[in-house]
């Protein structure tokens, strides 16, 4: 962390820091750590929290909207940035259930799931067994990495 004399340089550094720590969280393997005997997966909750913080931050810059967080999440569908094609109900689900509940209540809404996932997985898909939404963190991380790299190169 450095001392910044303008908001833009602070945002660039904060987004870079969030990205690095999100990478650590999503790539961490609990099954290989003696503190997590019998556990599987990654640091999914903090990883998701950091990824959504990046979405929120980039969206506030790219999409504007000031304090209106719902506008920030439009960056996920922006063809120049994340380029997903989420329905408006899915954007609302991501914002309210994955972001807000996770940030403010340390959980996600009942009936929603998260998994580490793999590169070819959809970021937000439906479980083939019960039809519930599932957020896959690895492909979300990979897309976010690309978006952050673009942001850092274009917003000097």
């Amino acid at each position: 962390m450095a001392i910044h004399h303008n908001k833009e340089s602070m945002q660039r550094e904060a987004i870079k820091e969030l990205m690095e720590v999100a990478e650590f969280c999503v790539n961490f393997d609990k099954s290989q750590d003696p503190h997590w005997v019998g556990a599987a997966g990654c640091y999914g909750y903090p990883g998701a929290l950091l990824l959504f913080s990046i979405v929120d931050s980039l969206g506030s810059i790219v999409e504007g909207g000031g304090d209106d967080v719902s506008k920030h999440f439009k960056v996920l569908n922006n063809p120049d940035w994340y380029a997903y094609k989420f329905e408006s109900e899915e954007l609302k689900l991501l914002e309210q259930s994955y972001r807000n509940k996770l940030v403010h209540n340390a959980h996600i809404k009942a009936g929603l799931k998260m998994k580490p996932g793999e590169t070819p997985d959809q970021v937000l898909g439906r479980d083939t067994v019960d039809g519930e939404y599932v957020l896959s963190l690895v492909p979300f991380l990979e897309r976010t990495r690309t978006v952050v790299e673009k942001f850092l190169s274009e917003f000097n």
Side-chain angles (χ1 to χ4, degrees):
M1 184 174 99
I3 295 173
H4 296 275
H5 300 289
N6 63 62
K7 178 176 75 173
E8 292 77 17
S9 70
M10 185 183 304
Q11 288 171 318
R12 288 175 52 79
E13 182 176 6
I15 289 169
K16 284 174 72 172
E17 288 179 359
L18 290 167
M19 187 68 223
E20 286 187 26
V21 180
E23 296 236 20
F24 173 80
C25 291
V26 174
N27 292 322
F28 187 85
D29 184 354
K30 286 182 181 177
S31 70
Q32 302 299 310
D33 189 292
H35 294 98
W36 292 95
V37 175
C42 62
Y43 287 141
Y45 293 100
L49 203 135
L50 294 166
L51 289 170
F52 282 114
S53 293
I54 293 168
V55 167
D56 206 350
S57 299
L58 290 173
S60 73
I61 297 164
V62 174
E63 300 293 333
D67 292 333
D68 185 353
V69 176
S70 65
K71 291 183 181 176
H72 300 177
F73 274 66
K74 290 180 180 178
V75 74
L76 290 169
N77 282 349
N78 186 317
D80 294 327
W81 296 95
Y82 281 86
Y84 292 126
K85 292 178 169 64
F86 295 128
E87 300 292 328
S88 60
E89 69 184 40
E90 292 172 325
L91 281 176
K92 191 172 184 176
L93 174 82
L94 290 169
E95 176 203 340
Q96 293 181 350
S97 301
Y98 282 103
R99 179 206 178 262
N100 290 349
K101 287 218 178 274
L102 191 57
V103 168
H104 302 293
N105 304 105
H107 68 85
I108 56 177
K109 184 176 162 184
L112 302 176
K113 303 173 185 176
M114 288 192 301
K115 67 177 185 176
E118 296 180 14
T119 300
D121 291 344
Q122 285 184 308
V123 168
L124 185 67
R126 296 256 188 190
D127 188 300
T128 55
V129 175
D130 58 23
E132 294 176 343
Y133 278 104
V134 181
L135 178 69
S136 295
L137 294 176
V138 168
F140 190 25
L141 172 75
E142 291 172 353
R143 180 75 58 93
T144 300
R145 182 185 313 115
T146 301
V147 168
V148 167
E149 288 169 359
K150 177 182 175 170
F151 170 78
L152 294 172
S153 70
E154 290 186 12
F155 285 80
N156 286 321

